[in-house]
Amino acid sequence: MAYTVTPTPAGPVGSQYCVCKVELSICGQNLLDRDVTSKSDPFCVLFMEVNGKWVELDRTETAVNNLNPAFAKKFIIDYHFEEVQKLKFALFDQDKSSTQLYEHDFLGEFSCTLGTIVSSKKITRALLLGNGKPAGKGMITIAAQELSDNRVITLSMAGRKLDKKDLFGKSDPFLEFYKPGDDGKWMLVHRTEVIKYTLDPVWKPFTVPLVSLCDGDMEKLIKVVCYDYDSDGGHDFIGEFQTSVARLCEAQDASPLELECINPKKQKKKKNYKNSGIIIVKSCKITRDFSFLDYILGGCQLMFTVGIDFTASNGNPQEPSSLHYINPLGTNEYLSAIWAVGQIIQDYDSDKMFPALGFGAQLPPDWKVSHEFAINFNPRNPFCSGVEGIVQAYSACLPHIRFYGPTNFSPIINHVARFAAQATQQETASQYFILLIITDGVISDMDETRHAVVQASKLPMSIIIVGVGNADFAAMEFLDGDSRVLHSHTGEEAVRDIVQFVPFRNFRNVPKETLAKAVLAELPQQVVQYFKHQNLPPINSEPA
């Protein structure tokens, strides 16, 4: 691939599903010495692959006379879980002031996906020359960190003896919270609900991001204003005070914080004015609202299993009309789906060993129907090495099985659920299971499948179903709980939506990356939702 050099850093590359920004820190070790009289003066250039070409995103500063540089300049990249983001880190020895890279001596490079870096948090790898040989003993270390303040503040507020503002009744108080804007004016951050007919209101607890309330600065002044609600919008001012989050944090459940609500006009007019009531901070808690990337950087592994439909409705794999027919290009819709999903998820599994199971076929030697068999015919070790291993095992098993039926999903769902249930015993956010089922048609065991999905919704597990061919996939849409909550045949509700269904036919004439985006778009949210529901923080998380 050719280098495409853009002198200014390119804008964010990727889709609308961006989870967050990642900061990459770069260090070099034992770099090649290209200077005769002194040591190399290295700098690092970051490239991203866009449409088959390497596009320069950014450069570090130059480290003068240093073969073991730690660069101060960080690379900041938009992170997209559902895309393969290929990166290249190239090191050069600065010889001239030119921005053209060919003017500088090449010290080596390293390529990988952003997924590989974030799933390891920190990697050290050998640098390679253009011919693929090692660049001496040169190494590069890349460390990833999420760039976001994920702290949230939960406040529980009340009032006591607030000023009476209504002629024929008590006040209808509510609070507004403000922070200083860049223009020096107060900017509204949050408004509580209105509590009717009382001078002693108790508002519902509320949660806002700490960044929203005070830009993440606990010492920054914030303003709290109390109003009496009027339906015509002309709310009456009761009083206000200024404080900081650090001060609010002094409130504990046992000892609430009391702040005087002051009306400056009344204060000026009346000599004996004390206040217009008391605002009580009953409790103030700061916690972390963890993201998908927090869990991945914390060491959570995504455990990937494939389930493949070998029922007779797929057609004879020897004939071009069959959905299992491997065309002269070496692919079919089953293989396309395996590649699209697998090549993304494999970055998040350290050993890259994936169980691949089949269902709906008769197996040698006794030709009994199986709805849960290892496609490598090794039931004790159904693992395939990487996506390539799944593809090889799939191609190798086709001539040795007889396509049959029926189309039963529940055995494979229950198979993965057993492993997910074992993972829950660790009581840490260390593993999340993903089952990709590729099928050509109507589910035969719908009641059992619904029951299996509802039970699996309580586990660290998600199910992706890709429908191949042109069959009626109404039952699959039913399992995908985007529009309604899924119930089992006994009436039990799914705890959360864990099924994502897409028909492959919608993606036949679009770039292969589009399928991956569609099927994986909901996964980060499902992972976070499960671990939050279980009150499990990322393994290596810091307290708020």
Side-chain angles (χ1 to χ4, degrees), residues 356-358 363 370 372-383 393 397:
L357 308 171
L363 305 186
S370 174
E372 183 192 341
F373 65 90
I375 65 170
N376 64 2
F377 299 117
N378 185 349
R380 288 187 179 171
N381 185 11
F383 296 92
C397 90

Side-chain angles (χ1 to χ4, degrees), residues 11-23 48 76-85 114 118 145-148 291-293 348 517-518 520-525 528:
V13 179
S15 74
Q16 71 273 32
Y17 297 121
C18 179
V19 177
C20 56
K21 292 187 183 295
V22 174
E23 179 185 82
M48 179 182 274
I76 294 169
I77 305 179
D78 286 347
Y79 166 73
H80 305 273
F81 164 73
E82 70 290 338
E83 292 178 18
V84 175
Q85 293 176 273
L114 183 54
V118 298
Q145 184 177 356
E146 182 176 0
L147 266 195
S148 71
S291 71
F292 173 69
L293 198 51
Y348 299 87
K517 286 180 196 175
L520 294 172
E522 290 181 11
L523 191 69
Q525 173 191 333
V528 171

